[in-house]
Amino acid sequence: MSTAELPAGSTKTRNPLLDALLPLAVDVVVPLGTYYAARAFGVGIVPALIISSVVPAVRTVYGLVRSRRAGAGSRSGAGLAPLILVVNVVGLVTTFITGDPRLMIAKDGLVSSAIGIGILVSVVRGRPVMSAGLRPFLTKGDAAREAAWEALRTGSGQVATAGSAAFRRSELAHSVVWGVALVLECAARVVGAYTLPLATMAWLPTVLLIGAIGVASMVSGPCTERMKKLMDQQIKNGE
């Protein structure tokens, strides 16, 4: 069904799951495929690692430029982009100068650390950046669910104080889980970069990242479910 064929008053929204998985594909699948393709053509380890880092770096720059053009309404997670870009550029330049492939692999771990630390700092500031990605999953573009999210998050409207506090705790805990998971993934990657064979570290970081995402999703699941139930209760009370 085309947009023109949609019923009056409805809009065709993007799938939030696709929006979440696309950056993962760009940052994980594309670099890994690029690395092995370069190696297959006889490119050295260091140049191959540098080439594989170009696409994520370009995506970071694009995301930063797009968020600035969009304005304040899309800045919830944009504060991490400059930090990630700096880590990428410094790592690339340092690796190019030193020619150390292990440093290149460790640099990629520092990107995860930068994101993880940024998430934890946002929790301390009371503005968890992971909520920007969580909100579309829980609200699904529904006006009533959007209103419930806002009421619970701000403690406004008819929501009970206890419900709002529980919602806020779960929201913060969700970001804490993801921040800690990414910091630990960074630590594992840096240790592996200087203790394991380079051939192993060409693919192991991808496994570590996917594992960290999987564990974070599982551990943060109860937080998400608790928020969903509170939203359902808020909508029911508002009827």
Side-chain angles (χ1 to χ4, degrees):
M1 179 183 292
S2 66
T3 304
E5 296 172 333
L6 290 173
S10 66
T11 57
K12 187 176 182 180
T13 58
R14 295 182 60 177
N15 188 333
L17 180 59
L18 179 62
D19 288 341
L21 292 179
L22 184 57
L24 178 62
V26 173
D27 290 342
V28 175
V29 178
V30 174
L32 191 62
T34 303
Y35 170 80
Y36 281 114
R39 292 291 288 155
F41 281 97
V43 179
I45 293 179
V46 173
L49 288 171
I50 292 176
I51 292 171
S52 68
S53 295
V54 170
V55 173
V58 170
R59 190 184 74 81
T60 301
V61 174
Y62 171 74
L64 181 58
V65 172
R66 185 177 62 176
S67 67
R68 288 184 180 278
R69 287 179 178 176
S74 61
R75 290 179 186 171
S76 53
L80 294 176
L83 182 59
I84 297 171
L85 183 59
V86 169
V87 172
N88 262 314
V89 171
V90 172
L92 285 168
V93 172
T94 305
T95 304
F96 184 79
I97 294 174
T98 63
D100 184 359
R102 296 187 182 276
L103 178 61
M104 183 70 186
I105 295 171
K107 180 273 300 179
D108 290 338
L110 293 179
V111 172
S112 295
S113 176
I115 297 174
I117 292 173
I119 292 172
L120 294 176
V121 169
S122 75
V123 171
V124 174
R125 296 177 60 191
R127 300 172 61 184
V129 297
M130 290 300 295
S131 296
L134 180 61
R135 183 168 182 165
F137 282 101
L138 293 182
T139 61
K140 297 178 173 56
D142 181 75
R145 300 191 69 80
E146 288 282 354
W149 172 288
E150 197 62 30
L152 285 163
R153 194 169 191 272
T154 61
S156 61
Q158 300 177 3
V159 64
T161 303
S164 180
F167 184 89
R168 188 64 173 163
R169 284 195 300 269
S170 296
E171 182 188 13
L172 293 173
H174 178 268
S175 281
V176 168
V177 168
W178 280 89
V180 170
L182 290 174
V183 170
L184 292 178
E185 185 267 335
C186 163
R189 188 184 301 215
V190 171
V191 171
Y194 290 98
T195 59
L196 298 176
L198 289 174
T200 300
M201 289 307 297
W203 57 265
L204 184 58
T206 301
V207 175
L208 291 174
L209 180 58
I210 293 175
I213 292 173
V215 170
S217 298
M218 180 177 63
V219 175
S220 65
C223 300
T224 305
E225 187 62 27
R226 193 175 305 116
M227 294 170 71
K228 181 179 179 295
K229 290 180 178 179
L230 287 168
M231 289 173 64
D232 291 341
Q233 186 63 42
Q234 169 64 14
I235 293 173
K236 181 179 179 181
N237 291 343
E239 293 178 348

